[in-house]
Amino acid sequence: MSRLSQAFTKGHAALVTFVTAGDGDTPAVLDALVAAGADVIELGMPFTDPMADGPAIQAANIRSLVAGTTTADILRIARDFRARHADVPLVLMGYANPMVRRGADWFASAAKEAGVDGVICVDIPPEEDEALGPALRRSGIDLVRLATPTTDVARLPQVLDGASGFVYYVSVAGITGLQQAAQGSIEDAVARLKAATDLPIAVGFGVRTPDQAREIARVADGVVVGSAIVELVAAHGRDAPAHVRTYVEGLAAAVRAARKELA
Amino acid sequence: MNAPNSFRAQPDERGHFGDYGGRYVAETLMPLILELEREYRAAKSDPAFQAQFDDLLEHYVGRPSPLYYAERLTDALRENATDGMGAEIWFKRDELNHTGAHKINNCIGQILLAIRMGKTRIIAETGAGQHGVATATVCARFGLPCVIYMGAKDVERQAPNVFRMKLLGAEVRAVQSGAHTLKDAMNEAMRDWVANVHDTFYIIGTAAGPHPYPELVRDFQSVIGREARAQMMARIGRLPDLLVAAIGGGSNAIGLFHPFLDDPDVQMLGVEAAGEGLEKKHAASLAGGFPGVLHGNKTYLLQDEDGQIAEAHSISAGLDYPGIGPEHAWLKDIGRVEYTAVTDDEALDAFQLLCRTEGIIPALEPSHAIAAVSRKAREMRQDQVILANLCGRGDKDIFTVAHALGVAI
């Protein structure tokens, strides 16, 4: 079992937290996430054209790129994180073009060397797996696939084929950070996914409050929070790590308090 | 060149043109893209669909568009050519279509598909506003609500087209993200689409985006080349020696080229926008870009070494895009089509040349093609024939041209 999958076997749902690399003092924010109890870190790779993201993460992408963040910077942030936190799984999340620009093999080995455990690529569906999947698997990096409300049962096996680490259930057909799905639809979707795979299921999109996180943590293996953290980074500048820590502590407590009702 | 049996058999069943094309979209959109492909296959083999498409093109769009021998332009270019040189120049007059450009051909086809799929809401992106106007037009014609995404900068510099879209009943949303231009409008349209997959059809304006869009846009635009081929045979009893068309995303060019791809004696030239020059700001993805993934397909993109997309620049808002349709990327790599680039200044000269020699005010997009025609005609014999696509009329551009020429109107 990979370091990433193990994060979901602690007896409570894993809290998965997202920040955009290079937006603010990323190393300090990452340390705050870990100190607050985040179980998995998603490090967003900024892209000029973040088509699946809502206003908060779009703005974070632009801030990061305007500040001059390069792929080398992102890999350095990951490598330094790994040196400070040997056991916390780190996932790179972003869009295809920056990942394949120098070739998928280059990216996979650079990510591996930087201590990255998994990759989420928004715009490489299973149909285009060849563009990145084989290179990641050769490097021993988990490829986290996305399932959505539009992914029907017939399509699910294709999405799961070649997936590892965990499955990210995007609970809303839409962009990041805006609405939240109804709890009932999340429960149905998690049950559907659980019937099709042994991989842990993390649920995200629109999760903001400890109450929402607690509800999801009762049925899913993980809860993903992104835009709300990114907004704190935007709002508080140099003071962001303290605010992020307080906020994520609330989420972590809620997630740990929830009792998993599905094995 | 390792020539395939046919250049007209692309894409493969997964939507790839060689290494290019494909379906690089978020999982939320994947099932919809697959449904669109199934529905397009069914429509393609449905005579009723084809009959309705043809009928609308004839009676609503005004097809077939004329094929015109540009005698005075031909003569003008021969004046500066050596003896016996200076090819005949012919134009496919797609600027005479309803709404003033080739864009409407594709919009008719896509809205019929949308209706067939039971979609009740239309979205589109637009740069110069031509595709937005064409989309708003077909939405008015079929009574469907329509939202057009347009970069805030383009909303400002294309005010007449914004007003046209509103007159036609469309809602124009000014996009404030990114650089406020066409690529950002496309990002925003995709964000709308992903949030409204159940009732919304996205009418993409060029032969790009995820499969099957590059294929279906090409098929709808191929009416240009099919007509031109028959018209050439009827008028001069043979095919032209060279086809020329401007390329932003490349839909007018692929529409002209595709029916001729298997005619070995027909050469083809695609003309990108070199903007201020290929060493400066431009929109020539083939000349100055590298393969990458954006907006659902793999193709040549203007980008930096980290894969961040660069801002394109062209005086022509319709060519101001950092990518290009994937079939052109493939045709370039295999060498079947030659590609060149023309600067803003060269396009402006060609624009004025056509006004004065033929009494036709062309759009800035085909002005790029005309500039390339001017270069090529001198290198070809007088008994040779160039056919260029006059894909849009210039009414929309007179303010831009006046500004560039330093004239206050």
Side-chain angles (χ1 to χ4, degrees), chain A residues 46-51 53 58 65 70-71 97-98 101-102 122-123 125 127-128 146 148 150-151 155 159 173-174, chain B residues 14 16 22-28 30-31 177 183 187 191 194-195 292-293 295 303-309:
Chain A
F47 183 44
T48 40
D49 296 83
M51 284 159 288
D53 283 300
Q58 283 177 45
L65 292 173
T70 63
T71 300
N97 204 48
R101 179 65 176 94
R102 294 177 176 84
V122 174
D123 52 350
E127 280 77 359
E128 302 294 346
L146 302 147
T148 72
T150 60
T151 311
R155 182 174 165 71
V159 170
Chain B
R14 293 165 57 221
H16 291 130
R23 294 175 282 213
Y24 294 87
V25 294
E27 172 62 21
T28 309
M30 231 10 254
S177 60
K183 105 182 149 65
N187 291 336
R191 290 180 188 121
V194 84
V293 174
H295 293 150
Q303 55 178 316
D304 72 10
E305 61 189 19
D306 280 339
Q308 305 298 346
I309 307 302

Side-chain angles (χ1 to χ4, degrees), chain B residues 214-287:
Chain B
E215 177 186 347
L216 67 87
V217 174
R218 174 199 73 198
D219 290 350
F220 293 140
Q221 291 292 4
S222 290
V223 65
I224 300 170
R226 283 196 307 275
E227 284 178 6
R229 210 168 182 287
Q231 288 168 320
M232 271 286 164
M233 293 306 289
R235 295 283 291 281
I236 63 169
R238 70 177 184 91
L239 298 178
D241 299 286
L242 175 68
L243 305 176
V244 182
I247 298 190
S251 71
N252 95 79
I254 202 71
L256 177 65
F257 295 169
H258 195 259
F260 293 91
L261 284 175
D262 285 335
D263 297 305
D265 296 331
V266 180
Q267 305 298 307
M268 302 177 197
L269 179 65
V271 186
E272 296 190 288
E276 298 172 359
L278 292 178
E279 310 308 312
K280 300 178 187 166
K281 291 194 295 179
H282 65 85
S285 325
L286 292 178

Side-chain angles (χ1 to χ4, degrees), chain A residues 187-226:
Chain A
E187 289 175 16
D188 292 348
V190 171
R192 206 164 62 232
L193 290 166
K194 290 255 166 213
T197 180
D198 293 332
L199 288 172
I201 312 297
V203 175
F205 269 48
V207 183
R208 290 182 171 273
T209 67
D211 283 348
Q212 291 171 338
R214 182 184 299 111
E215 289 300 308
I216 293 172
R218 288 196 173 123
V219 296
D221 304 300
V223 182
V224 188
V225 180

Side-chain angles (χ1 to χ4, degrees), chain B residues 13 49 53-54 83-84 89 102 141 143 147 157 190 193 195 201 222 235 253 281 297 319 347 367 376 395:
Chain B
E13 70 283 356
F49 181 88
F53 179 63
D54 292 345
D83 266 1
I89 297 161
H102 69 290
R141 168 63 183 77
V147 174
R157 57 182 177 179
M190 296 195 86
W193 198 23
F201 190 98
S222 290
R235 295 283 291 281
K281 291 194 295 179
N297 59 175
L319 304 181
S367 295
K376 278 282 176 186
D395 310 44

